[in-house]
Amino acid sequence: MNQELLQAVQFLKTEKGLTADVIFESLEAVLLSAYKRETGTHAEATATIDRETGVYHIFVTKTVVEDVEDPELEISLTDAQALNSAYALGDLVQQEVTPKNFGRMAAQTAKQVMTQRLKEAERNVIYDEFAGREGDVLTGMIERIDNKTVYVSLGKTEGILPSTEQIPGERYRPKNRLKCYVVEVKKTSKGPQIILSRTHPGLLKRLFELEVPEIYDGTVEIKSVAREAGSRSKISVYSVDGNIDPVGACVGPKGQRVQNIVDELHDEKIDIVRWDEDPALYIANSLSPSKVISVSVWDEEKTSHVIVPDYQLSLAIGKAGQNARLAAKLTNWKIDIKSESQAAEEGFEDFYDDDEEDLLAELDATMGAAQSEETLPVDEVTPHDEEN
């Protein structure tokens, strides 16, 4: 019996990923429940199992009294001193009451308690494993689809991909593998509930961290992400090493790194732009692939006026305003875009200061440098035209 118990503990450790202490504590609770069910006692009792031998003992705690009124809770001074002469009135005595065997009802109770305790322990282990993974990307296999909710197998448990977190137009089929962002891990009575997302901006950020070694090791930093899942995204990057081009690192040789991410997101367009501490340059970069003539900024209001060539206006604004909207999200600035002719008509040149020529020169230099990279420029990796 004891050897079988130890073998069962080892099996549970291997199959369920539980620790020996958790299993033994569950078994001790089982023995205690079985003992109380068998004897009907209301005494305070404890059960212990030797971790090495598997031998178990059950003890009840009794108070030493002069005259015993409740034999289950009390023990006479004479009987207590027969066990140990040092006992005195008022002391607590632990008396062993281990039954030689348990009846059928006790065994049934033990089984139910053991099953419940092990389920709880397994749920706690799974919760502890995933609770620290909020904000991570996990790869799972689609198990089933129920009323537009996708259930993804994550090994020991499953994650939930609600319809609100699914990429519009993306098709999900059972057995397909899927990368998802962990939004939240909840502890429920039925076990951990893991909420997944395919639309969260964090998914794009994590995919770049996985794909680009320079981001993983901290040489290149992701400053901001703006995303309209399934359609288009923008990501701004910065290099702490002046010898490494952050945009080129993210694009990769022949555009392979960014293309792998585009494939994972089913052809979602991705603009990679260079972050700059100068908000005017940053805003100009954020409007890629559109060319920019000039940018005027007001720091207190966090607003800006951008002038683009007439033929680039629709490209700068984007289809249904998407390019401008994403640029505003990326930079956290309000952006007002005008064409060159519109600016002239409305007198926008009155906003320019004495340093405008220096800004234009720096902007032209930045744009020129992007075009001379050995790797593919951003607007070649994610081609757009005015109709897009």
Side-chain angles (χ1 to χ4, degrees):
M1 167 66 180
N2 297 337
Q3 190 60 35
E4 291 176 356
L5 185 146
L6 293 175
Q7 289 175 352
V9 169
Q10 187 59 44
F11 173 80
L12 290 170
K13 283 176 60 180
T14 304
E15 293 297 314
K16 301 294 185 180
L18 304 174
T19 65
D21 284 342
V22 168
I23 299 170
F24 276 115
E25 287 170 7
S26 297
L27 289 170
E28 288 167 349
V30 165
L31 291 173
L32 193 58
S33 295
Y35 168 74
K36 288 186 175 182
R37 180 66 178 264
E38 183 79 2
T39 62
T41 183
H42 60 282
E44 182 180 344
T46 57
T48 63
I49 301 176
D50 188 292
R51 270 53 170 169
E52 299 296 329
T53 64
V55 175
Y56 61 88
H57 300 278
I58 298 175
F59 299 90
V60 294
T61 302
K62 297 183 178 182
T63 304
V64 179
V65 297
E66 188 70 43
D67 297 314
V68 176
E69 296 182 1
D70 188 342
E72 288 193 3
L73 303 177
E74 300 170 336
I75 185 173
S76 68
L77 179 61
T78 302
D79 290 342
Q81 290 182 338
L83 298 173
N84 189 325
S85 59
Y87 283 126
L89 292 174
D91 287 349
L92 297 177
V93 176
Q94 280 203 324
Q95 187 175 22
E96 184 169 0
V97 291
T98 308
K100 292 184 179 179
N101 52 61
F102 292 114
R104 182 178 64 83
M105 292 300 294
Q108 183 66 23
T109 300
K111 181 180 178 181
Q112 292 174 353
V113 173
M114 184 65 180
T115 300
Q116 181 180 353
R117 288 293 295 266
L118 287 178
K119 282 183 178 179
E120 290 176 359
E122 186 176 7
R123 288 169 182 167
N124 288 335
V125 168
I126 294 172
Y127 175 79
D128 291 342
E129 178 182 343
F130 286 93
R133 303 202 66 180
E134 288 185 2
D136 281 355
V137 170
L138 301 179
T139 301
M141 181 178 291
I142 298 175
E143 280 190 338
R144 66 187 190 281
I145 302 168
D146 184 10
N147 196 25
K148 296 185 179 180
T149 298
V150 178
Y151 294 87
V152 182
S153 173
L154 300 173
K156 296 178 182 178
T157 187
E158 67 179 14
I160 299 172
L161 182 63
S163 59
T164 54
E165 299 293 338
Q166 297 171 16
I167 295 177
E170 189 170 56
R171 304 182 68 179
Y172 303 99
R173 296 183 178 86
K175 305 303 180 183
N176 282 2
R177 299 190 69 80
L178 201 64
K179 282 187 172 69
C180 296
Y181 182 84
V182 181
V183 177
E184 185 180 9
V185 180
K186 299 179 181 178
K187 197 170 189 177
T188 71
S189 58
K190 295 183 179 180
Q193 187 180 70
I194 303 169
I195 308 300
L196 305 174
S197 175
R198 289 277 291 169
T199 63
H200 198 285
L203 175 62
L204 186 62
K205 182 177 180 180
R206 294 300 185 195
L207 289 175
F208 269 99
E209 290 175 354
L210 293 171
E211 193 68 38
V212 182
E214 291 85 352
I215 294 178
Y216 183 80
D217 65 23
T219 306
V220 173
E221 298 176 1
I222 297 175
K223 290 292 189 177
S224 182
V225 176
R227 186 176 182 213
E228 294 188 0
S231 179
R232 189 172 176 187
S233 298
K234 288 181 181 286
I235 181 169
S236 64
V237 291
Y238 170 77
S239 176
V240 299
D241 185 342
N243 296 319
I244 295 179
D245 170 47
V247 175
C250 293
V251 171
K254 298 183 179 179
Q256 189 58 53
R257 290 175 180 174
V258 71
Q259 189 59 51
N260 291 339
I261 299 172
V262 169
D263 292 343
E264 173 61 36
L265 299 178
H266 298 287
D267 297 327
E268 182 174 314
K269 296 179 177 68
I270 301 173
D271 294 335
I272 306 169
V273 304
R274 191 188 306 273
W275 178 87
D276 198 289
E277 62 182 355
D278 183 334
L281 285 174
Y282 185 26
I283 291 168
N285 293 341
S286 72
L287 288 168
S288 171
S290 171
K291 308 304 179 186
V292 173
I293 294 176
S294 68
V295 181
S296 300
V297 297
W298 288 263
D299 291 327
E300 290 185 4
E301 297 86 358
K302 294 208 76 174
T303 61
S304 66
H305 290 301
V306 177
I307 299 176
V308 300
D310 289 357
Y311 71 94
Q312 291 270 294
L313 180 61
S314 61
L315 184 60
I317 295 174
K319 186 177 182 180
Q322 185 183 62
N323 193 55
R325 186 168 58 249
L326 285 172
K329 288 181 182 178
L330 188 74
T331 61
N332 199 29
W333 280 71
K334 183 178 179 181
I335 303 174
D336 183 18
I337 304 173
K338 302 288 184 181
S339 69
E340 200 170 3
S341 58
Q342 288 174 332
E345 289 175 7
E346 298 177 19
F348 265 65
E349 63 272 16
D350 294 338
F351 292 110
Y352 301 164
D353 55 34
D354 295 336
D355 295 327
E356 186 67 22
E357 290 185 3
D358 293 338
L359 174 60
L360 290 175
E362 189 174 355
L363 185 56
D364 287 341
T366 302
M367 291 296 191
Q371 296 299 325
S372 64
E373 297 293 345
E374 292 184 2
T375 51
L376 292 178
V378 178
D379 53 352
E380 289 187 22
V381 176
T382 55
H384 305 280
D385 54 35
E386 297 185 10
E387 296 174 356
N388 286 332

